[in-house]
């Protein structure tokens, strides 16, 4: 089964809750999964030959939460081309703001630019429609887990 690093960017804890649910679902399906709440580049590097799941919310200005910004910058500045990386992305946001799911979109754009392969589509969860994001994320995670080798 697959090894999955789950990298979290959270403002108020919703992304962390989704990530912990993802960890439980992946393990139940026989995968190895680990959540990184304050991820470092060294954590990321361990999963470049495996799978990464990014679960991040977005600030009101469309930016990434403070806890995941150092990882994003390190990937951008130090990693570069990483075509071996396979990833999934769950973006949490609020459509009342101009830059809905902007943090997740920025992360996805960076990984695409670096040649990584996205497994499945990006899941964008709107807090207006889904105040409990795990109700939308859990079925997506179950389907995503089936795509892993």
């Amino acid at each position: 089964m697959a090894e999955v690093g789950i990298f979290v960017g959270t403002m108020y804890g919703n992304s962390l809750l989704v990530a912990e649910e993802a960890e439980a679902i992946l393990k139940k399906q026989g995968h190895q999964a680990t959540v990184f709440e304050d991820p470092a580049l060294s954590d990321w590097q361990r999963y470049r030959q495996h799978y990464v799941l990014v679960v991040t919310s977005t600030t009101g200005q469309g930016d990434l939460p403070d806890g995941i910004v150092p990882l994003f910058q390190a990937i951008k500045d130090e990693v570069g081309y990483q075509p071996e990386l396979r990833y999934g992305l769950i973006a949490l946001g609020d459509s009342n703001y101009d830059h809905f799911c902007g943090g997740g979109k920025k992360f996805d754009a960076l990984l695409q630019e670096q040649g990584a392969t996205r497994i499945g589509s990006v899941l964008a969860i709107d807090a207006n429609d889904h105040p409990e994001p795990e109700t939308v994320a859990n079925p997506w995670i179950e389907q995503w887990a089936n795509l892993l080798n």
Side-chain angles (χ1 to χ4, degrees), residues 86-116:
R86 296 165 292 175
Y87 74 98
L89 198 135
I90 299 174
L92 284 74
D94 183 332
S95 61
N96 288 325
Y97 291 92
D98 291 338
H99 303 286
F100 174 63
C101 289
K105 290 175 182 175
K106 287 178 183 177
F107 222 115
D108 184 53
L110 173 63
L111 297 178
Q112 288 290 298
E113 183 180 298
Q114 292 183 336

Side-chain angles (χ1 to χ4, degrees), residues 1 3 5 32 37 43 47 65 74 79 82 95 98 109 113 117 120 124 145:
M1 300 310 283
E3 289 184 45
Q32 295 177 26
E37 185 176 353
D43 300 322
Y47 288 92
V79 175
Q82 52 182 339
S95 61
D98 291 338
E113 183 180 298
T117 301

Side-chain angles (χ1 to χ4, degrees), residues 29-56:
Q29 291 194 12
H31 301 293
Q32 295 177 26
T34 305
V35 172
F36 297 95
E37 185 176 353
D38 290 310
L41 183 58
S42 59
D43 300 322
W44 183 270
Q45 299 284 40
R46 279 187 284 185
Y47 288 92
R48 283 183 56 187
Q49 301 295 330
H50 303 286
Y51 292 91
V52 164
L53 177 60
V54 176
V55 182
T56 188

Side-chain angles (χ1 to χ4, degrees), residues 18-31 33 134 137-143 145:
V18 168
E20 289 170 342
E21 293 272 333
E23 180 182 36
I25 290 167
L26 289 163
K27 285 181 174 179
K28 187 176 179 184
Q29 291 194 12
H31 301 293
E134 67 277 9
N138 288 359
W140 182 93
I141 294 161
E142 288 176 10
Q143 290 180 352

